[in-house]
Amino acid sequence: MSTIGFIGLGNMGFPMAGRLAEAGHTLIVQDLSTEAVEKFLTTHPTAAAAQKAGWQNADVIITMLPTSAIVEAVLLKGRVVAGASLNTLFIDMSSAEPTRSQQLGAVLEEKGMRYVDAPVSGGVRGAVNGQLAIMAGGSSADVHEAKRLFEVMGKSTIHVGAPGSGHAAKALNNLVSAASVAVTVEALHIGERFGIDPQTLTEVLNASSGRSNTSENKVAQFMLSGSFGSGFPIGLMTKDVNIALALAEELGVEAELSHHCAELWRKTVEEGFGPEDHTKMYALLDRSTSTVSTTEERQAHA
Ligand code: NAD
C-alpha cells in the first residue's frame, strides 16, 4: 500500500480519492475548500491520522484540479514539489493543456521526480463506481507503476505515449463529445419541430448508426428528464474544446467543423452559462422556441 497525496476534492476528485482510501492506501488530501477536506476526513477516518504527514512522505501525488494553470500554481508555487521527496511520482488526472504538461514533466524530471498525465473520461458516475476510462502519458515504467492505482479508479487504462499525450487525447475525446452533444441536441429540436417526440427520436438513434454516448447516456437521463445533473459543467467542456483547438492551431490542422463547434460552446460561456451542466445545452440550443419541455411536461400535454 502507498501513501498518496491527493489534491483536488471536487466532483471527480472526492470519489476518486475515496476509492483509493477504501482500497487501503494512506491519503494526504488538500483542497481550497476546507469543507471538502473535512467531509473527506469524516467519510474516511483512516485518512485523518495521515494529515500531519508532509508531502515528503507521499510516494505518489495526484492532482485533480480544474486547469493547467491551477495545477502548476499548486505544485510549483504552492510548494508541494519543494516539499516532496526525490523520485516522487506526480500524476495529473485533471484535463489539462498538453504542451504545458510536457513542460511540467520536464521541470519535475530536472528535480529528480517523475510525471504522468492521466486524465479520465466517464463523469462523476464513473468516478464513484471506479469505471473511469484513463488515458496516460509518460514513460512505460511510470505508467506501469501507476496502473495499480488506476485499476482502483477506472475500468481501463490506455498508455497513449510520452508525457502530455494523455492530455492531448483527453481534449480530442472531449472535442468529439462536445460536437456529439451539440449535433444530437440540434437533431432532437429539428425532429421535435417536425412532430417527432424527442424520446422516440432518441430510441431511433440508439437503435441506429446515430447512437453515441450522448444519445445513450445523456439525453433521457439528464436532458429530457430536465435534471441537467451530469456533474460536468459547460465551462469545463469549453475549456477542453479550447485545448483541442489550440492544439490544432499549433499543429497547423485546419479543423473547420471543430472551429464551429468551439464557437458554439464559447458563445454559451460568454453569455454566462459556464457553471451550468453541459447537458443544459438541450435547453440553450433551442432559443427560437420559448421553452423546452421535460418528459413529464410533454406526457402531461400528450
Ligand atoms: P470541480 O470544480 O468539481 O473540482 C475542482 C476542485 O479543485 C474543487 O474542490 C476546488 O476547490 C479545488 N481547487 C481549485 N483550485 C484549487 C487550489 N488552488 N488548491 C487546491 N484545490 C483547488 O472539478 P471536477 O469536476 O472535479 O473536475 C476536475 C478536473 O477533471 C477538471 O480538469 C475537469 O475538466 C476534469 N473532468 C471532469 C469531469 C466531470 O464530469 N466533472 C469528467 C472528466 C474530467
Side-chain angles (χ1 to χ4, degrees), residues 251-297:
L251 300 170
V253 180
E254 205 172 313
E256 195 181 331
L257 176 62
S258 305
H259 277 283
H260 284 297
C261 173
E263 271 313 303
L264 196 70
W265 287 86
R266 279 179 202 148
K267 199 166 140 247
T268 315
V269 170
E270 279 159 22
E271 288 171 2
F273 295 107
E276 300 276 355
D277 195 84
H278 79 291
T279 56
K280 194 82 183 270
M281 285 303 253
Y282 179 62
L284 299 174
L285 293 184
D286 193 30
R287 291 172 212 176
S288 53
T289 57
S290 52
T291 56
V292 170
S293 53
T294 63
T295 305
E296 289 73 25
E297 285 162 348

Side-chain angles (χ1 to χ4, degrees), residues 18 28 32 54 105 109 125 155 189 204 211 223 238 241 263 272:
I28 303 170
L32 266 188
E109 198 181 329
R125 197 184 323 167
K155 62 172 183 203
H189 291 318
V204 171
R211 77 181 165 280
M223 297 182 186
T238 307
V241 171
E263 271 313 303

Side-chain angles (χ1 to χ4, degrees), residues 176-205:
V176 173
S177 172
S180 158
V181 167
V183 79
T184 305
V185 162
E186 287 183 359
L188 291 172
H189 291 318
I190 298 166
E192 202 170 8
R193 215 63 62 80
F194 187 77
I196 304 173
D197 187 280
Q199 196 85 51
T200 307
L201 186 59
T202 306
E203 277 175 43
V204 171
L205 294 176

Side-chain angles (χ1 to χ4, degrees), residues 1 12 86 138 148 154 195 211 214 228 248 265 267 297 299:
M1 289 297 150
M12 296 294 287
L86 277 180
R148 71 200 158 85
R211 77 181 165 280
T214 304
F228 306 123
W265 287 86
K267 199 166 140 247
E297 285 162 348
Q299 281 164 355

